[in-house]
């Protein structure tokens, strides 16, 4: 049940074959049913996740009671509350399974060990961290200065297969708009014969 994770380490992080078995021994596999909670506010997020199969989301609930989705994680994506993991702070987020999901759980010890034994992993992990910062900056910029249409088009680029797997209200929550606004955007794009990739 670690095949996607194994392939990811080998093909993306370029971890050498002799290190793969050692590293995959440091992780565990867990299955979650749809709607199961993986994290709740106040808990310390002990481990990050790699989604082997399924779909997970990270979100908060505002003072107005509305959900604010920060991230979706389909297959081959990582997800976790980085602040809570690294700084040992109680999380302010919920994480739950949108679909029945199989995830690979790994902690800071895994990252440190992998970085020590595999220079390739260390370089790829640095790339992932920098890319994550870049994505967050782009996301903030979209939320504070872009139209609903531009935000939706960026969502499709980032998550090309999720429009059929995620309810419209969740996409709207991620985009920071109302479901009605998202419906208008989709209708306008349909009029212009826009087809997602």
């Amino acid at each position: 049940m670690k095949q996607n994770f194994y392939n990811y380490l080998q093909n993306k992080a370029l971890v050498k074959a002799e290190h793969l078995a050692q590293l995959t021994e440091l992780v565990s596999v867990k299955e979650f049913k749809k709607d199961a909670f993986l994290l709740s506010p106040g808990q310390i997020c002990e481990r990050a996740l790699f989604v082997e199969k399924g779909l997970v989301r990270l979100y908060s609930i505002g003072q107005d009671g509305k959900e604010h989705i920060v991230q979706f994680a389909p297959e081959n994506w990582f997800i976790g509350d980085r602040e809570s993991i690294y700084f040992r702070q109680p999380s302010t987020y919920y994480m739950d399974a949108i679909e029945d999901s199989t995830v690979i759980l790994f902690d800071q010890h895994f990252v440190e060990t992998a970085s020590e034994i595999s220079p390739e992993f260390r370089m790829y992990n640095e790339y992932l961290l920098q890319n994550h910062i870049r994505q967050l900056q782009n996301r903030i910029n979209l939320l504070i200065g872009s139209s609903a249409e531009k935000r939706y088009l960026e969502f499709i680029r980032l998550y090309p297969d999720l429009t059929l797997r995620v309810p419209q209200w969740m996409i709207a929550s991620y985009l920071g708009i109302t479901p009605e606004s998202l419906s208008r955007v989709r209708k306008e794009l349909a009029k212009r014969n826009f087809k997602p990739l």
Side-chain angles (χ1 to χ4, degrees):
M1 291 300 290
K2 300 178 188 174
Q3 193 58 50
N4 286 343
F5 186 63
Y6 189 95
N7 290 341
Y8 190 94
L9 289 177
Q10 192 169 38
N11 300 324
K12 294 278 192 183
L14 304 178
V15 173
K16 292 178 180 165
E18 61 264 28
H19 298 139
L20 284 170
Q22 184 180 352
L23 292 180
T24 53
E25 287 297 313
L26 298 175
V27 303
S28 58
V29 181
K30 193 158 184 183
E31 295 183 358
F32 293 94
K33 291 290 187 190
K34 179 180 178 179
D35 298 325
F37 281 94
L38 290 69
L39 179 69
S40 294
Q43 295 178 323
I44 301 290
C45 187
E46 301 286 348
R47 295 174 286 185
L49 313 176
F50 174 88
V51 179
E52 185 77 13
K53 180 177 78 72
L55 182 59
V56 175
R57 67 177 174 147
L58 183 73
Y59 65 99
S60 63
I61 296 181
Q63 291 182 347
D64 56 3
K66 291 182 182 175
E67 290 185 11
H68 304 282
I69 297 177
V70 175
Q71 183 188 353
F72 292 103
E75 293 83 1
N76 297 314
W77 278 61
F78 294 96
I79 191 167
D81 181 348
R82 288 178 180 269
E83 178 184 30
S84 184
I85 293 169
Y86 192 82
F87 295 103
R88 308 292 300 160
Q89 298 288 322
S91 183
T92 57
Y93 295 104
Y94 293 90
M95 194 184 327
D96 66 6
I98 299 174
E99 301 171 352
D100 290 351
S101 299
T102 303
V103 301
I104 308 298
L105 301 160
F106 62 95
D107 59 15
Q108 195 61 28
H109 174 67
F110 168 85
V111 175
E112 291 165 2
T113 302
S115 296
E116 283 174 17
I117 67 174
S118 172
E120 295 82 8
F121 178 90
R122 185 173 60 249
M123 289 177 62
Y124 189 71
N125 189 52
E126 175 67 20
Y127 165 80
L128 282 181
L129 289 171
Q130 297 300 332
N131 191 53
H132 183 69
I133 293 167
R134 176 178 67 169
Q135 293 292 346
L136 288 175
Q137 287 176 327
N138 289 341
R139 175 103 192 273
I140 291 167
N141 193 44
L142 282 168
L143 288 173
I144 62 177
S146 294
S147 67
E149 180 177 306
K150 186 170 181 182
R151 291 184 216 176
Y152 180 60
L153 293 173
E154 178 60 18
F155 174 85
I156 292 170
R157 185 197 66 75
L158 189 61
Y159 298 114
D161 70 330
L162 290 197
T163 56
L164 301 177
R165 294 171 67 182
V166 175
Q168 183 165 307
W169 70 265
M170 283 191 188
I171 297 173
S173 169
Y174 176 87
L175 298 176
I177 61 176
T178 65
E180 294 77 17
S181 293
L182 177 56
S183 183
R184 283 193 295 273
V185 166
R186 291 172 83 159
K187 283 178 185 171
E188 182 59 36
L189 288 170
K191 280 185 199 169
R192 299 192 329 242
N193 291 320
F194 170 79
K195 291 182 178 61
L197 297 173

